[in-house]
Amino acid sequence: MNYLQKGFTLIEMIIVVGIISIVIGGSVRVYSTTIAERQLDKEADGLMNVLQITKDRSVARDISPLPGCTNFTGYSVFVRSNGDFEERIICDLTSTTLNQHSLSNVTFNNLNPSPMELIFTYPYGSLDVANQRLIVVKSA
């Protein structure tokens, strides 16, 4: 029997579809992990930007949020373990909240004490802490 074979056999098609499924399955897993890592990096960068802006405002003695301020101490960032944090100005021995932020799908680990307040004092914007502070940002 000598005839021309036209097309593929069922076994060949099943093998090709199986290989394609395995490749796509692995790609989806890698893609979803990469998206989660990028989101976490974005959230951590947002927190770092707020900390830098808070320090800069302390150095600049920016008392514009409280025009009647007579005894400016500095700014602080109050961090809670659930991913919430707020910017505060410390003036006349009171702390006033300026902005509140909430990071989605993020938790802060190893806050000691919890919640943690990072105070940037005037005039140098130095962080008023006795020990080194470490904030670990993790996906929720």
Side-chain angles (χ1 to χ4, degrees):
M1 265 168 121
N2 197 1
Y3 60 91
L4 292 173
Q5 183 181 12
K6 295 183 180 180
F8 300 102
T9 65
L10 181 60
I11 297 293
E12 291 171 331
M13 292 299 291
I14 290 173
I15 291 172
V16 168
V17 169
I19 291 171
I20 291 173
S21 299
I22 291 170
V23 170
I24 289 175
S27 299
V28 168
R29 182 176 296 151
V30 169
Y31 179 74
S32 63
T33 303
T34 302
I35 294 298
E37 288 174 356
R38 286 186 182 177
Q39 180 68 23
L40 187 60
D41 287 344
K42 179 182 168 186
E43 300 286 2
D45 288 345
L47 175 61
M48 287 178 27
N49 288 338
V50 168
L51 291 172
Q52 185 62 46
I53 289 169
T54 303
K55 179 181 176 182
D56 293 345
R57 290 178 83 178
S58 178
V59 170
R61 196 177 188 274
D62 180 10
I63 59 171
S64 60
L66 297 175
C69 177
T70 57
N71 186 15
F72 177 75
T73 303
Y75 281 85
S76 71
V77 177
F78 192 77
V79 182
R80 293 181 186 84
S81 59
N82 65 353
D84 295 340
F85 62 98
E86 55 191 51
E87 300 170 74
R88 296 177 174 181
I89 184 171
I90 305 168
C91 191
D92 298 327
L93 302 177
T94 59
S95 178
T96 305
T97 300
L98 300 176
N99 296 310
Q100 293 182 337
H101 305 275
S102 181
L103 302 180
S104 59
N105 300 321
V106 170
T107 58
F108 298 125
N109 287 4
N110 298 338
L111 291 183
N112 187 15
S114 180
M116 180 188 295
E117 185 168 23
L118 305 169
I119 301 172
F120 298 92
T121 57
Y122 176 77
Y124 304 111
S126 58
L127 190 57
D128 182 24
V129 294
N131 302 329
Q132 180 180 1
R133 302 286 174 105
L134 175 67
I135 299 174
V136 179
V137 181
K138 294 183 92 175
S139 291

